[in-house]
Amino acid sequence: MKIDRRSFLALGLGAAAGTAFTPLPWKLTDDASIWTQNWRWLPLPEDGDVTYETTACTLCPGGCGIRVRKVKDRIVKIEGLPEHPVNQGGICALGISGTQILYGGSRVTSPMRRSGDRGKNEWTRITWDEALAEVKAQINALVDADKADTIACITGSDRGTVPLLFKRLLAVLGSPNFMTTATMEDSYRAVFRKMHGLKGPVDVRFDFENTGFVLSFGSGLIEGWGSPLRMIRAANVWKANKTPMIQVEQRLSNTAAFSGGLLAVNPGTEADLALGLCHAIISGNLHQAGSVSGFAEFANLLKQKYSVDTVATKTGLKATAIVDLARKFANPASRSVAVCGRGKGTTAGSMREFMAVHALNILAGRVNAPGGVFAVPAPDDIAWAGDTVMTSAISGKTRIDEAGTGAYTLADSLLNRIPSGIVEKGESSIGLLFVSEANPVYTLSGTKNVRKAFKKIPYIVSFATCLDDTTAYADLILPNHSYLERYQDVPVRAGLSKPLVNLTKPVSAPVYDTQNVGDTVISIAKSLEGSVAEAFPWENYEDCLAKTLGGRWETLKEKGFVEGEANPVALGNVILPSEMPDIPAISGDGNLPLILLPKDSMRLWGDAVADPPFALKIVPDTELKGTETVVEVSPKTAVAQGLEDGKEAVLTTTLKSVTVKVAVSDGIMDGVVAIPRGLGRSSAEKYLDDKGVNVCELMEPQEDKVSGFDAVIGTRASLKRA
Amino acid sequence: MSTSNHEADSLAPGEAPDRKQGAPGGVIVLFFIVGFALSMAFGWLVFPKLLYSEKNQPFDFNHKIHMDLVDSGCESCHVFREDGTYAGVPTLAQCADCHQDVQGESKDEEVFVNEYVANEKEVPWLIYSRQPDCVFFSHAAHVKMAEMECKECHGDIGESESLKVYRENRITGYSQDIWGENIAGIRKNTWDGMKMTDCGKCHEERMGSKGPCFQCHK
Amino acid sequence: MKKETEHKPGKKYGMVIDLDKCTGCGSCMAACMAENNVPCKDDESNKLSSITWIRVYRLTNRKPFPETEICYLPRPCMHCGGVGDQGHSPCVSVCPATATDYDHGTGIVSQIYTRCFGCRYCMAACPYHARYFNWWDPVWPGDLKKTLSPNVSPRMRGVVEKCSFCFHRYQLAMEKAYVEGRRDLEEGEYQTACTQACPSGAITFGDLDNPDHAVAKMKEHPNAFRLLERLQTNPKVYYISSREWVRRAGDNYLKNEPTNSKPRAAAHHG
Amino acid sequence: MFPFIFEWVWDEGHIMFFGAMWYVILILASGLGYCLIKAVKDTLAGGHGPQDHH
Amino acid sequence: MDYDFIPKGHNRCSFGTFAAGMVILGVIVLWGFYAAALCWIKGLNQTNMNDSYGFALWIWADLAVIAIGGGAFFTGLLRYVIGLDELKNIINFAVIVGFCCYCSAMLILAIDIGQPLRGWFIFWHANVHSMLTEVAFCLSLYLCVLAIEYLPLILENGKIDEVPFFHNLSHTMHGAMAVFAATGAFLSCFHQGSLGGVTGVLFGRPFGYREGIFVWPWTFFLYTWSAAACGPCFTMLTCKITETITGKRLVKDNVYDLLAKISGWMIGTYIVAKIADTVYWATVTSPSMGFGLMDYYSLHPLHHGIWILILEIVVCGVVPALILISQKGRATKPLFNLAIVLAVLGVCLNRWVMVMTPMAMPVMTFDSWVTYFPSWQEIATTILPFAGGIMVVALSYRYLPVFPQEKELNSKR
């Protein structure tokens, strides 16, 4: 038999023909297509029992109730809690993104010791025992050197058991230096102290649900001022009731856009407008009679310096418009209220403005009146044995920030004074610093100075959940559980009309090697033994919570929140100022042509918590583009400065020069540059890391002469084509 | 093959008229038939073996014994959750109700109790009827609303005394039961396949249409 | 020429969004992403390749400051029914591989990711930019994978995706109903994630054809309008705005044409 | 494409479209088949030569 | 070196020169395939396309090559079905050019889809209502037809022709060519049309939407007509270029003249229809959707304004039509050349506008125009088929008896 290549060809042909009559090619084609539909690098979400658990959100001061959807033990989604009084089922973008904080890449996954230079974020993992031993050694060293009073602590709030445990630890060690970051609520407290002579802890509450006329001096009422969800609901009630909403601002913020009543005044003249309105009210004899001291002097001051005409020129409004507004505002039937606190209210702001706006409310009779603003006693429901003893033990000692003494009697804590103090002195007045739920390196103005000061602090212990600008300066991190993994009582300030305490619950098992900060503080105290340990008689933090909250503990565990009633504080004699503090609200070099104003975006969070991926994703490209901050200017300003929409430009203030992108917008006043707050973070989630610029780097702080807080609301700047 | 070696193969067709002495036609036909037969054998017999890998369940399970013990059939263990979704294979907790300790029925039970119940470890069952991730299947709609029997799709598994070998498609990663045992895709029983066409056929017969895409896809 | 398969009178799920209530906060977008396993890239500031099934647009009346007005407009997929709700939506008819269809039972336009091969013709067809292409592989680094919901399958690179009116929620609600022996849903049982999350309550969702549902009444509001009605896409998302310029911005008009709040083809459906 | 595929419906659209398609395929295939068979036949018949055309 | 393979009696450049040219083209082709591989492996993020320009350079290139490749079907139709015998002198070349164009189109489509491995779904799970389905079917079948038409030519290579079977096959296929050509013409008519339908049916996109006759939008007919009109111009253009490069005359003037005359009348009638279409679209269809003509052009980010329409219709439509229709115009070499260049440009411009603008043009009043510039990967993969096409044409010219008149025309000299 002869075999040649034709035979093999025939073999091949036969094989090919045969194959076509087998399932092989057809099945392979089908399976290949299924392979493309499920390629291996695509994650497959695991199925399982679905459960819902309720807890509370702590990502902003708003105090919303949330429910988490769990599949087996994973939290897959956070939704609003329908039965919660603050948000009634709604939820903000940050709240929704909470899962990305819980499982996100910026979590501190175990105790860590700094291994690189400060600010570099290089860490070595250590055990909890090692970490606690180190803290103990640091404290003991200071105690032994009789410098225990240089131990300081910065927390995000002074409410609830956790901050109070810190406060107690410091007190029992002999240090009064418990500090919190200042917000507009601290300024309101200062105003109540200054203009009503009140002493001690007092809170501000707003009866927005019953308001009939809202006059907001640059407050981002729906951007996140106070409790954002509550404010959004209130604003919708106003809209439904056709309640007028006047927004005094330089640009169409979401609040201004929503209100439909923008009143554009020249930047920094908000206080003047308020005083002008006061003048119009007094001269129109529209003010409410009451027990007021200094009325004549105040009236005289207004007449001299803040007459309607003067104010009209200064603000750029028409005199008639001011008089008209004053008339509407002062009409008792209006049930009006004037509010201030710039943007989201996460900064203290200028006392001049707060006093002027408060004077306006006083004259219109809107303080402690339905639909108005209320002064209420701060809740004192957390009482521990020995509290008073400890308070008196430290009462004689001077605080590092001098709050409560001398020129600074209006403030409880003045964190903003620390960096300049350290830098001026050249050495740190703080020997050991605890930081919990606060990010001062990011949120304090004049970042360069803040960094310098933090570098000088000998030892910093951070209790952060996530890495941020401040942890980068810490020597040791004792990571806290995220709010979804821990118990914590969270009393809500945020200007709610009723006092409210939320409880966060461990709806997820700890994902990483972290510990509830409450437990950490208690174990630190216990490790110090002696009187310190005795001051912390609880087994653990949960025990502390249960014993402290008493009857409310079970309710909180079951329902998630407890709402209370608060009666207004008797205001007694009102003291109107005879002279207004003269602090320019706009800092910086007067020769620079433009005014830089931070804008608080609805989708960018500028406080301790940074935007998680979902929240960042919805940030418009008019605020962040690529890795650059986008600043907003008017078409006229753009032409005058030679700028083009979408193009790069160099933004310069006295502190820093940065490259930004320009967005030309119809919704902003000429001569103003608006810059979004919340960008320029370091060491956060990789999604946000090193994107844009931190507003605080550009803003020169300005100490308010009345309160001692940082009063800066804007700074002079130039914006030139890059 | 007698041509000079240096003539390029691509020019083979050029070897025309004078080289008629190649293999005779009969040989060529024979070769064709051999090739045909070989590939048929490969495609029908060898290929299916190659396509699927065989995996054993962690241990054997006797459905029949359990069926005799329970009151409400399959649903006694394969339960619907409160929200209407179907839980599928029972969890360890369900089984552990009875099998807290070794009852000594079988070796497999011993493995179960000692390795899984004692360690509180879920059994990594290989699920014969697992659909791709893109598929939504409502057991409630079929079992509760249409009152179909489990058997219609799953076959007689409830009567089985031991678990069959799990065969996984090496390319797609899915159980052979989705395509069906028959490599040609020929179905004799309603449970002989769980592909989209199988669903579509039944839906068309009983519902009048195959239904919208979203009915099963997610 | 498309043959209409005989269909039972189904539901017509739709949305009414009250633009007077919308604050532009973006919760709907975030809620949608969390519900539907939408991935995040390192940089999402290029909005031309950023997937947001519901997107909030910022409209202005184009007047100079301070007369400028802004309105925020959330735009999910419109689930167009086409003329007479025959299912001739712009995108469905053009898909070459039948990867998207119109469900006459719910009025929802589907998108089947495993069928789509990424030709993007449907995106060319959709005037609302409601369809998004997966230019990149979706990535959930580290433990972020734990946030994935099993109810929605993650999409692979190279396919188109869009809002589904959270159809899986409909499926889950139906399952619950089946187990309880019902074939029908109550109004609140099936709600989309954006509806649920909206802090303002600006979004209402329900069966547009069911007179008991809120949306059925709201869509008859004199200030109700839909986007680009003149194209006869017949969207199922209605908007309400008390501002005339906003209603006018909902469609294209020649210079001197009056703003119509009702569609030209109103006679076709009803 | 084939009647056994999931999407197939016996409606005018499918019949027209695929009717035309299969018709074209049929023409091309039969044309090509005819050419091949004829070429084989001619070759076996021994017909050859570049000179018998052009 | 390759002397044996070169058709008898034809002069070709030296193998060295030829090989050098091939290497240069080959490098370009490899570069293109590298870019294509990047797109296949890493996905379409390698391009600069986005959600507003989901149809971009590639789809334009696709439509353009198909339009200018229309010379194959139309010349085939004229030659085999209508029976214009002179055209046999250019039909081979038309087929080769067409084959290159259609291969390019298929290649580009294979890169352009997000999931190339699932590309066959368009056939398997076809939605018969989609214009793209029709395009895919007709395109692939027509490519088969072109291959069938190209095959006998390849078989005519001297060496291959020595094999009796191939010789006979080539012979019989020549005989049956009319059937294939007719089928091809039918297919081509439909898919050129359905490519037009691709934008024409987009009723959500006022720029592209054209109302219809029966089930087809007008663009269906306009595309077929314009491809038939301008395709032969591209065939003639490439033929002229080949003549220039080789320094030979390959096709007699009367063949050019005939084809140009037919083209001229086709362009002329097409442009009348196109003007009518534009007028109706601008005055009736668009206004009913709320768009005036200038709304489309005034805000275009490339700032070409209405000029692009004038360029397409007048400069690249009316002008070449007039030149090619007039005896004098055809006889004047520079005018003739200008006309065929303009005609090719015109049809490419038409496809450009119809591909890029409908999808990119904002329809929602609050949406905005964006700009787009292709990435190097897109450009490389678009150049790839051109280089590949030149290679195929060069190879064919060198080794195949493409031009029946070549010997005659060049021996005269």
Side-chain angles (χ1 to χ4, degrees), chain A residues 55 60 247 269 345 391 408 452 470 493 529 694:
Chain A
T55 178
C60 87
Q247 180 74 5
T269 63
T391 324
Y408 304 106
K452 222 190 244 171
T470 305
R493 286 173 78 178
E529 296 169 357
N694 180 3

Side-chain angles (χ1 to χ4, degrees), chain B residues 145-189:
Chain B
M145 221 52 204
E147 293 176 340
M148 280 167 69
E149 281 185 58
C150 305
K151 190 179 146 177
E152 265 196 81
C153 303
H154 293 285
D156 285 323
I157 192 142
E159 304 295 313
S160 69
E161 293 185 2
S162 76
L163 296 174
K164 63 181 178 182
V165 174
Y166 178 86
R167 286 150 71 83
E168 187 186 271
N169 187 310
R170 290 182 203 269
I171 301 170
T172 64
Y174 295 126
S175 156
Q176 190 192 25
D177 287 31
I178 303 301
W179 172 260
E181 302 246 335
N182 188 308
I183 189 75
I186 296 163
R187 281 97 167 94
K188 289 194 198 111
N189 305 303

Side-chain angles (χ1 to χ4, degrees), chain A residues 543-578:
Chain A
D543 180 43
C544 165
L545 264 181
K547 288 192 175 132
T548 307
L549 296 170
R552 292 181 301 165
W553 173 236
E554 287 306 318
T555 324
L556 274 171
K557 272 214 288 191
E558 195 184 309
K559 211 171 134 196
F561 61 92
V562 179
E563 228 179 349
E565 290 294 335
N567 295 319
V569 174
L571 290 173
N573 200 12
V574 174
I575 312 142
L576 286 173
S578 55

Side-chain angles (χ1 to χ4, degrees), chain E residues 73-95:
Chain E
F73 97 86
F74 192 61
T75 319
L77 183 83
L78 294 172
R79 157 82 176 84
Y80 292 108
V81 181
I82 306 200
L84 297 179
D85 231 27
E86 291 99 312
L87 295 182
K88 71 170 188 244
N89 296 311
I90 201 169
I91 184 75
N92 287 342
F93 193 69
V95 164

Side-chain angles (χ1 to χ4, degrees), chain C residues 120-190:
Chain C
R120 307 183 294 286
Y121 193 13
C122 54
M123 296 171 66
C126 173
Y128 303 102
H129 279 302
R131 289 176 160 269
Y132 292 86
F133 188 70
N134 282 274
W135 300 99
W136 300 85
D137 265 316
V139 179
W140 289 270
D143 283 327
L144 281 179
K145 280 177 204 70
K146 292 188 176 165
T147 61
L148 289 177
S149 154
N151 298 329
V152 183
S153 57
R155 281 73 63 186
M156 61 292 291
R157 160 238 287 179
V159 301
V160 170
E161 62 183 73
K162 68 162 193 79
C163 154
S164 63
F165 269 173
C166 288
F167 192 78
H168 60 282
R169 289 183 164 218
Y170 173 79
Q171 298 276 44
L172 293 175
M174 285 307 286
E175 284 209 311
K176 189 153 191 281
Y178 287 148
V179 169
E180 289 164 10
R182 294 177 291 137
R183 274 179 190 278
D184 257 325
L185 295 179
E186 296 294 316
E187 185 173 3
E189 279 186 292
Y190 167 37

Side-chain angles (χ1 to χ4, degrees), chain A residues 101-356:
Chain A
I101 290 174
L102 174 65
Y103 296 119
S106 66
R107 280 293 296 271
V108 186
T109 53
S110 79
M112 297 202 288
R113 185 192 290 132
R114 179 163 59 82
S115 55
D117 283 343
R118 281 211 163 135
K120 284 275 181 297
N121 245 325
E122 285 156 15
W123 302 95
T124 320
R125 297 174 75 104
I126 52 172
T127 64
W128 274 99
D129 288 339
E130 286 174 82
L132 291 170
E134 201 151 321
V135 180
K136 181 183 169 186
Q138 289 293 334
I139 295 174
N140 280 336
L142 287 174
V143 171
D144 293 346
D146 202 19
K147 281 185 174 171
D149 58 347
T150 65
I151 302 174
C153 174
I154 302 171
T155 68
S157 145
D158 57 358
R159 294 294 161 82
T161 49
V162 165
L164 292 187
L165 283 173
F166 273 110
K167 199 173 180 179
R168 189 174 176 87
L169 179 63
L170 259 59
V172 76
L173 288 167
S175 166
N177 293 306
F178 174 80
M179 290 174 277
T180 59
T181 39
T183 68
M184 57 94 177
E185 289 183 87
D186 295 277
S187 290
Y188 265 108
R189 182 181 288 177
V191 160
F192 286 131
R193 287 177 179 163
K194 170 107 181 139
M195 295 175 72
H196 299 283
L198 297 176
K199 297 269 180 288
V202 58
D203 274 0
V204 64
R205 298 204 176 274
F206 293 90
D207 188 18
F208 282 131
E209 286 72 11
N210 296 307
T211 298
F213 186 106
V214 187
L215 178 57
S216 150
F217 290 83
S219 299
L221 293 182
I222 61 175
E223 265 97 350
W225 188 89
S227 171
L229 267 283
R230 181 260 185 143
M231 290 312 300
I232 287 176
R233 288 197 305 108
N236 272 295
V237 171
W238 300 334
K239 197 157 244 190
N241 296 343
K242 298 208 161 46
T243 297
M245 236 179 123
I246 306 289
Q247 180 74 5
V248 183
E249 210 171 348
Q250 289 77 33
R251 55 177 287 274
L252 268 172
S253 61
N254 289 62
T255 302
F258 188 81
S259 72
L262 174 69
L263 199 61
V265 299
N266 293 330
T269 63
E270 284 83 353
D272 300 277
L273 174 62
L275 293 170
L277 290 168
C278 289
H279 180 243
I281 289 171
I282 292 177
S283 51
N285 211 16
L286 301 164
H287 55 279
Q288 302 299 306
S291 167
V292 173
S293 65
F295 181 82
E297 292 89 335
F298 184 59
N300 191 39
L301 169 75
L302 295 175
K303 204 172 158 193
Q304 297 299 320
K305 288 191 177 166
Y306 300 100
S307 71
V308 171
D309 290 328
T310 321
V311 166
T313 324
K314 216 168 174 190
T315 56
L317 299 173
K318 283 200 182 103
T320 48
I322 296 175
V323 173
D324 200 42
L325 179 59
R327 200 164 286 145
K328 278 186 197 143
F329 186 82
N331 183 351
S334 293
R335 280 180 294 114
S336 48
V337 67
V339 294
C340 62
R342 292 292 171 96
K344 293 188 183 185
T346 50
T347 52
S350 117
M351 277 301 280
R352 187 168 180 269
E353 201 167 298
F354 275 83
M355 285 165 68

Side-chain angles (χ1 to χ4, degrees), chain E residues 181-256:
Chain E
T183 315
F186 167 80
L187 285 171
S188 199
C189 277
F190 266 86
H191 88 246
Q192 295 283 1
S194 44
L195 279 173
V198 165
T199 42
V201 295
L202 303 179
F203 66 95
R205 296 287 186 180
F207 186 85
Y209 182 58
R210 297 295 190 282
E211 285 180 73
I213 301 167
F214 186 45
V215 294
W216 317 108
W218 296 332
T219 42
F220 187 93
F221 305 102
L222 289 175
Y223 267 50
T224 308
W225 204 252
S226 59
C230 302
C233 288
F234 185 67
T235 311
M236 290 189 284
L237 182 63
T238 42
C239 207
K240 290 262 174 192
I241 292 170
T242 313
E243 286 184 340
T244 313
I245 290 172
T246 57
K248 291 193 195 126
R249 291 193 56 214
L250 301 171
V251 177
K252 282 187 184 166
D253 282 343
N254 69 319
V255 179
Y256 279 128

